[in-house]
Amino acid sequence: PEGAKALAEALRTNTTLTEINLTCNGIGPEGAKALVETLQLNIKLTTINFGCNGIGDEGAKALAEALRTNTTLTKINLANNNIGLEGIKALAEALQMNTKLTTIDLGYNNIGDGGAEALAKALHTNTNKLTTIGMKHNGIGPEGAKALAEMLQRNNVLREMNLGSNNIGPEGFKALAKALHTNTKLRLLHVYSNKIGDEGVQALANALQTNTTLTHCAITDNDEKTGLATSTETGTLSEFIAGNNKLRSCRDLPAWNFIDGYSNLDSEWAWTKKAVDAASIADGRTLLAVMDILENEKVKNTLKAKENKKKLQSLMRSSTNKAGYTFLHIAAGKEFPSVALRALKFFIDELQVVSIDLMNDTGRSIREIAIANSNDETSKWAKRHGTFLGRYKID
């Protein structure tokens, strides 16, 4: 708290700093109060990351008071701060008055149904500018999801909403899917790990017949029977995805990044083993689902398989994925090594949608990362690729 107070004093007179990352610094409620007082005076800060600081309800209330009058802040991360219903209600009331904030991450708190209802009420009107909200892992149930669904039928500002790892269930998700029939603004919806079951998947499939604006939807980890090829009364979800010319992906994303190719507020968080494993598991499941579809196509329809191979090659080489992060995650992950290796072999060796020598921003290639993997089979597979067009092998 003392460090936060000292920083707050410095920010009072600062005229150049626009972004600040305070993740995991033990700021607490008192430190948060000191910092948010500064927000009422500082007219330069546009982005602040308060993630993992235990500011609690009291810190959230203080921040809410500042947001009522602050006219510069556009992005704020409040994930993992032990914020409960009272804090969320205060923030929700502030959102009704704030006309500058565009992105807020409230993941890993204690929002619950009551908090979801308060946020939904705040977003019913379109007076705010909020386009992105993260609410993953917050104990939100069916009632909270229904309130958010009702909001989506009226809100024409929100573009991205993450409800991953909650408890919305089939009934809650059916309400959200119903909202997708009329909502024409939402681009990204994450509902992974919510036990939506086959009923929920069917509701999504039906919504995709009319919705032409949703481009990203994550539904994995909902039920053992749920996946890209889940059957519905009128077809398979994969068929509806194929027929929807707007939906670009229907998959799970790493737990540390709730925005895919957009604001990337969470990307500043420290890269940890937990993050690597979470990403490798999520990306592995995604590719396995796609792999199953492609393998079936290869048997049934060679031309269609070739066509989809070209589409995948284009996607993997696009500017939003130029570093091949999906495969870097899988090469680095140590969870479910046989599944990861199968995915690497299929997409790199067989389909050749990405090169094993593709590098990330730090200069490490997929091959180098796979060689360093503690799983022997993954390491041996990468070493066999060798270098210089495979002429030389590394023992």
Side-chain angles (χ1 to χ4, degrees), residues 295-311:
E295 286 180 334
N296 287 334
E297 286 177 353
K298 192 167 61 175
V299 174
K300 297 176 183 177
N301 189 331
T302 305
L303 289 177
K304 190 174 181 181
K306 287 181 179 179
E307 181 184 336
N308 280 328
K309 175 184 173 181
K310 289 180 180 179
K311 289 180 181 178

Side-chain angles (χ1 to χ4, degrees), residues 231-248:
S231 295
T232 68
E233 290 180 356
T234 53
T236 66
L237 182 56
S238 59
E239 289 171 356
F240 287 116
I241 292 171
N244 184 301
N245 61 9
K246 291 290 184 180
L247 193 66
R248 289 165 48 197

Side-chain angles (χ1 to χ4, degrees), residues 235-354:
T236 66
L237 182 56
S238 59
E239 289 171 356
F240 287 116
I241 292 171
N244 184 301
N245 61 9
K246 291 290 184 180
L247 193 66
R248 289 165 48 197
S249 68
C250 192
R251 62 188 182 91
D252 198 0
L253 294 175
W256 46 268
N257 191 353
F258 79 95
I259 307 168
D260 181 24
Y262 291 84
S263 305
N264 270 338
L265 191 61
D266 278 342
S267 64
E268 299 176 24
W269 287 36
W271 184 263
T272 64
K273 178 183 181 299
K274 184 177 179 181
V276 173
D277 288 343
S280 69
I281 294 168
D283 287 336
R285 288 197 187 107
T286 299
L287 293 186
L288 282 175
V290 176
M291 190 188 308
D292 287 339
I293 293 173
L294 287 179
E295 286 180 334
N296 287 334
E297 286 177 353
K298 192 167 61 175
V299 174
K300 297 176 183 177
N301 189 331
T302 305
L303 289 177
K304 190 174 181 181
K306 287 181 179 179
E307 181 184 336
N308 280 328
K309 175 184 173 181
K310 289 180 180 179
K311 289 180 181 178
L312 271 174
Q313 287 174 330
S314 176
L315 175 65
M316 293 302 173
R317 293 166 186 169
S318 67
S319 60
T320 57
N321 194 45
K322 61 185 178 181
Y325 288 117
T326 292
F327 298 95
L328 290 164
H329 296 156
I330 294 172
K334 299 168 182 61
E335 300 284 344
F336 306 106
S338 62
V339 173
L341 183 56
R342 180 188 167 207
L344 288 169
K345 285 181 177 179
F346 184 78
F347 284 93
I348 293 176
D349 290 346
E350 185 172 344
L351 291 186
Q352 298 177 345
V353 295
V354 68

Side-chain angles (χ1 to χ4, degrees), residues 14 33 80 91 94 97 130 140-141 145 151 160 169 211 226 284 305 356 384 393:
N14 181 276
K33 289 178 183 178
N80 199 10
L91 288 168
M97 303 178 67
L130 200 69
I140 299 172
M151 174 272 295
E160 305 163 22
N211 183 288
T226 300
I356 193 172
R384 281 197 294 270
K393 305 296 180 185

Side-chain angles (χ1 to χ4, degrees), residues 11-287:
L11 290 175
R12 286 176 182 271
T13 55
N14 181 276
T15 58
T16 55
L17 194 69
T18 59
E19 299 181 14
I20 189 167
N21 187 341
L22 301 171
T23 307
C24 299
N25 271 295
I27 291 172
E30 294 305 313
K33 289 178 183 178
L35 284 166
V36 296
E37 283 178 13
T38 302
L39 292 179
Q40 296 174 318
L41 302 172
N42 187 293
I43 58 171
K44 290 293 181 179
L45 274 179
T46 61
T47 302
I48 187 165
N49 189 338
F50 266 121
C52 193
N53 272 296
I55 70 171
D57 284 343
E58 293 306 310
K61 288 178 183 178
L63 177 62
E65 194 62 35
L67 288 177
R68 289 173 180 267
T69 55
N70 182 278
T71 58
T72 56
L73 202 63
T74 60
K75 299 176 184 178
I76 188 164
N77 188 335
L78 295 174
N80 199 10
N81 266 296
N82 197 31
I83 301 172
L85 181 58
E86 293 305 310
I88 292 296
K89 281 184 175 180
L91 288 168
E93 290 175 6
L95 288 177
Q96 294 184 62
M97 303 178 67
N98 185 288
T99 59
K100 291 294 182 180
L101 200 67
T102 62
T103 302
I104 186 168
D105 186 0
L106 297 167
Y108 296 96
N109 283 295
N110 303 300
I111 290 177
D113 282 343
E117 289 168 358
L119 289 167
K121 181 181 178 181
L123 300 178
H124 257 294
T125 61
N126 295 295
T127 54
N128 61 72
K129 301 295 184 182
L130 200 69
T131 60
T132 301
I133 185 168
M135 294 179 282
K136 61 177 175 270
H137 212 288
N138 264 290
I140 299 172
E143 295 308 311
K146 289 176 183 178
L148 292 168
E150 186 178 343
M151 174 272 295
L152 287 176
Q153 295 183 49
R154 302 184 184 186
N155 182 289
N156 60 22
V157 179
L158 199 65
R159 298 293 185 273
E160 305 163 22
M161 183 166 68
N162 187 342
L163 290 170
S165 299
N166 281 293
N167 303 301
I168 67 177
E171 292 305 312
F173 187 69
K174 282 194 286 186
L176 288 168
K178 182 180 179 181
L180 293 178
H181 282 279
T182 54
N183 182 286
T184 60
K185 298 298 180 181
L186 199 69
R187 301 291 184 270
L188 179 150
L189 176 64
H190 287 179
V191 287
Y192 53 84
S193 301
N194 266 289
K195 299 179 181 178
I196 68 174
D198 288 343
E199 288 182 70
V201 173
Q202 182 172 315
L204 175 61
N206 292 336
L208 291 181
Q209 293 182 75
T210 55
N211 183 288
T212 59
T213 52
L214 194 70
T215 60
H216 294 73
C217 181
I219 61 169
T220 54
D221 283 346
N222 273 293
D223 187 283
E224 290 181 352
K225 300 176 182 178
T226 300
L228 284 176
T230 297
S231 295
T232 68
E233 290 180 356
T234 53
T236 66
L237 182 56
S238 59
E239 289 171 356
F240 287 116
I241 292 171
N244 184 301
N245 61 9
K246 291 290 184 180
L247 193 66
R248 289 165 48 197
S249 68
C250 192
R251 62 188 182 91
D252 198 0
L253 294 175
W256 46 268
N257 191 353
F258 79 95
I259 307 168
D260 181 24
Y262 291 84
S263 305
N264 270 338
L265 191 61
D266 278 342
S267 64
E268 299 176 24
W269 287 36
W271 184 263
T272 64
K273 178 183 181 299
K274 184 177 179 181
V276 173
D277 288 343
S280 69
I281 294 168
D283 287 336
R285 288 197 187 107
T286 299
L287 293 186

